């Protein structure tokens, strides 16, 4: 079954679920996968950007190979009224999973279904050895998802400015302003290691790392560049106009390699570019120096992004309204300050400030 065939079948089977039934939450079984597709179609129509959730066989395979760990909320008779997951997304290290993709049918949004699914996913962590680190991206146009992130034990580590297109949201306070997301991480299985800290961000990284339950030895990055070639892995999220690049290794050819990936991103109409710099690489300082000179600014700290840790550098075509960024904690507000301060002191970011 392909997406077109799945959508045709979904249109012929409209989902109607009586409200106020008792529900159970469990790990998804193969027989639940069509119910998940019906749930996604009921909430998103045919416009959810990832085909996997409309095609039962694909979702089952992704669970079998460990790329996705799915849970469902089911009422009597087997109808799926909610879905949530841990899944491998943008991190270079396969042991770092994102928690999200949660959706609940409108008839059950007044219940604790979303919270119950999140709790069930967290209960699974000890039994799933593949999961070493957990992260989430909480939207900042409201604070509900940030509160859920805190309940899941994730600590704030970064802020992705303007990550999500305004068109994906209704009733924004600042129409047309892209929506920012707060990054949070939770360590499941820590691994003590050294990280090489670019001097420009020593204070920022010391502040963020000191608030985490991790064992790290912070060393100064002295600008060593590998004799071997750069390893820069792109990921294009075209529907959101986002380009992401995992910089696992900075080599002497980094300026040329990065310029080529930026050109490809522009050709794909990316409005947000993110480079995740491997802090386990002694050349991280030189990489950050290059990126800052090309208009990138600080985004945050990413535990175990490469198995070693990562540093988010980001570049936008225009800034979102800072007043649109709603944050619940002093720590998150301090991270926003760190981001703004780096924009203001980087001469290559003057284009964002109208200077």
């Amino acid at each position: 079954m392909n997406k077109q065939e799945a959508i045709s079948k979904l249109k012929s089977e409209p989902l109607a679920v009586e409200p106020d039934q008792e529900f159970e939450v469990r790990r998804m079984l193969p027989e639940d996968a069509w119910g998940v597709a019906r749930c996604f179609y009921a909430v998103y129509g045919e416009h959810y950007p990832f085909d996997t959730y409309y095609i039962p066989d694909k979702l089952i395979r992704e669970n079998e190979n460990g790329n996705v760990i799915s849970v469902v909320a089911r009422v009597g008779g087997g109808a799926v009224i909610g879905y949530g997951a841990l899944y491998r997304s943008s991190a270079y290290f396969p042991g770092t999973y994102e928690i999200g993709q949660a959706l609940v049918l409108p008839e059950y949004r007044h219940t604790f279904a979303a919270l119950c699914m999140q709790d069930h996913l967290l209960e699974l962590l000890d039994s799933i050895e593949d999961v070493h680190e957990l992260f989430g991206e909480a939207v900042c146009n409201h604070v509900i998802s940030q509160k859920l992130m805190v309940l899941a034990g994730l600590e704030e580590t970064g802020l992705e400015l303007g990550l999500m297109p305004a068109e994906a949201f209704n009733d924004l306070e600042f129409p047309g302003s892209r929506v920012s997301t707060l990054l949070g991480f939770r360590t499941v299985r820590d691994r003590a290691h050294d990280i090489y800290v670019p001097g420009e961000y020593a204070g920022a990284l010391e502040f963020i790392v000191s608030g985490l339950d991790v064992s790290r030895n912070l060393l100064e990055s002295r600008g060593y560049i590998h004799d071997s070639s750069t390893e820069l892995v792109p990921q294009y999220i075209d529907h959101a106009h986002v380009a992401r690049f995992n910089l696992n290794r900075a080599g002497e050819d980094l300026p040329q390699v990065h310029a080529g990936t930026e050109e490809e991103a522009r050709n794909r109409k990316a409005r947000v570019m993110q480079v995740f710099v491997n802090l386990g690489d002694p050349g991280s300082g030189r990489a950050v120096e290059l990126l800052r000179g090309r208009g990138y600014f600080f985004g945050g700290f990413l535990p175990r992004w490469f198995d070693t840790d990562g540093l988010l550098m980001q570049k936008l075509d225009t800034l979102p309204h800072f007043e649109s960024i709603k944050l619940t904690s002093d720590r998150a507000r301090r991270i926003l300050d760190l981001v703004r301060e780096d924009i203001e002191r980087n001469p290559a970011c003057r284009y964002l400030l109208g200077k």
Side-chain angles (χ1 to χ4, degrees):
M1 181 185 293
N2 58 32
K3 183 179 179 181
Q4 183 177 359
E5 292 167 340
I7 296 299
S8 178
K9 185 177 180 182
L10 288 164
K11 287 179 178 178
S12 71
E13 298 181 13
L15 180 60
V17 180
E18 288 294 322
D20 300 320
Q21 299 182 66
E22 291 187 2
F23 60 84
E24 65 165 348
V25 173
R26 73 178 192 195
R27 185 93 177 253
M28 190 195 82
L29 299 176
E31 57 262 32
D32 299 320
W34 181 244
V36 171
R38 297 183 77 193
C39 200
F40 269 81
Y41 185 74
V43 173
Y44 294 108
E46 58 187 273
H47 304 298
Y48 194 73
F50 302 104
D51 295 357
T52 299
Y53 302 93
Y54 294 111
I55 304 171
D57 287 346
K58 290 185 72 172
L59 183 56
I60 292 167
R61 284 197 301 272
E62 289 294 271
N63 273 266
E64 289 174 344
N65 63 28
N67 288 331
V68 180
I69 300 163
S70 301
V71 300
V72 295
R74 302 167 73 252
V75 296
V80 174
I81 59 93
Y83 174 86
L86 310 177
Y87 56 101
R88 292 172 174 145
S89 57
S90 297
Y92 185 91
F93 175 48
T96 296
Y97 281 71
E98 185 168 359
I99 183 169
Q101 294 179 331
L103 79 160
V104 177
L105 291 181
E107 296 87 348
Y108 284 83
R109 289 179 186 163
H110 65 286
T111 71
F112 290 103
L115 188 58
C116 290
M117 289 188 294
Q118 176 173 283
D119 286 346
H120 191 66
L121 285 167
L122 297 174
E123 290 168 1
L124 294 172
L125 291 177
D126 288 340
S127 63
I128 303 175
E129 295 183 357
D130 288 345
V131 182
H132 292 247
E133 191 78 31
L134 201 61
F135 80 97
E137 295 170 314
V139 294
C140 296
N141 59 310
H142 60 73
V143 299
I144 296 171
S145 55
Q146 294 176 51
K147 292 179 178 179
L148 284 172
M149 190 168 75
V150 171
L151 287 173
L154 278 67
E155 293 284 349
E156 304 98 323
T157 68
L159 189 66
E160 300 172 291
L161 289 191
L163 179 67
M164 304 183 72
E167 297 77 15
F169 299 86
N170 296 320
D171 303 321
L172 288 176
E173 182 180 358
F174 296 88
S177 182
R178 291 176 67 95
V179 172
S180 302
T181 61
L182 184 67
L183 279 166
F185 280 75
R186 171 176 166 172
T187 296
V188 180
R189 293 171 176 83
D190 192 27
R191 184 177 75 79
H193 59 271
D194 296 340
I195 58 174
Y196 295 90
V197 176
E200 194 71 40
Y201 299 134
L205 291 174
E206 286 171 5
F207 165 74
I208 296 173
V209 173
S210 67
L212 303 176
D213 185 19
V214 297
S215 178
R216 298 292 185 271
N217 183 29
L218 278 62
L219 304 174
E220 181 183 356
S221 174
R222 298 185 179 276
Y224 170 80
I225 290 290
H226 289 275
D227 295 335
S228 56
S229 59
T230 294
E231 184 180 346
L232 185 65
V233 182
Q235 180 188 32
Y236 301 105
I237 310 172
D238 291 332
H239 69 273
H241 303 289
V242 173
R244 286 175 160 172
F245 308 105
N246 278 316
L247 179 56
N248 186 45
R249 183 178 62 245
E252 292 181 347
D253 58 347
L254 176 60
Q256 296 81 15
V257 172
H258 177 255
T261 57
E262 268 211 343
E263 182 64 26
E264 173 65 16
R266 284 190 290 269
N267 290 340
R268 299 174 79 121
K269 298 182 170 52
R271 298 185 59 192
V272 176
M273 300 187 203
Q274 299 179 325
V275 178
F276 305 104
V277 180
N278 184 0
L279 293 178
D281 180 359
S284 61
R286 286 284 297 276
V288 165
E289 180 183 351
L290 170 75
L291 293 168
R292 293 188 85 248
R294 293 181 174 182
Y296 287 76
F297 54 90
F298 179 77
F301 176 70
L302 313 169
R304 303 294 298 279
W305 197 259
F306 296 89
D307 195 9
T308 53
D309 303 326
L311 168 70
L312 168 62
M313 300 292 293
Q314 50 193 333
K315 180 178 182 179
L316 285 66
D317 64 350
T318 185
L319 289 174
H321 288 279
F322 282 105
E323 296 82 359
S324 71
I325 301 174
K326 314 298 182 187
L327 300 170
T328 60
S329 72
D330 290 341
R331 178 177 169 88
R333 285 186 281 272
R334 178 58 186 141
I335 291 172
L336 173 59
D337 289 343
L338 292 171
V339 173
R340 293 189 70 166
E341 290 164 8
D342 196 41
I343 294 170
E344 291 166 1
R345 72 171 183 255
N346 184 354
C349 290
R350 287 175 179 165
Y351 72 98
L352 291 170
L353 305 174
K355 296 180 180 180

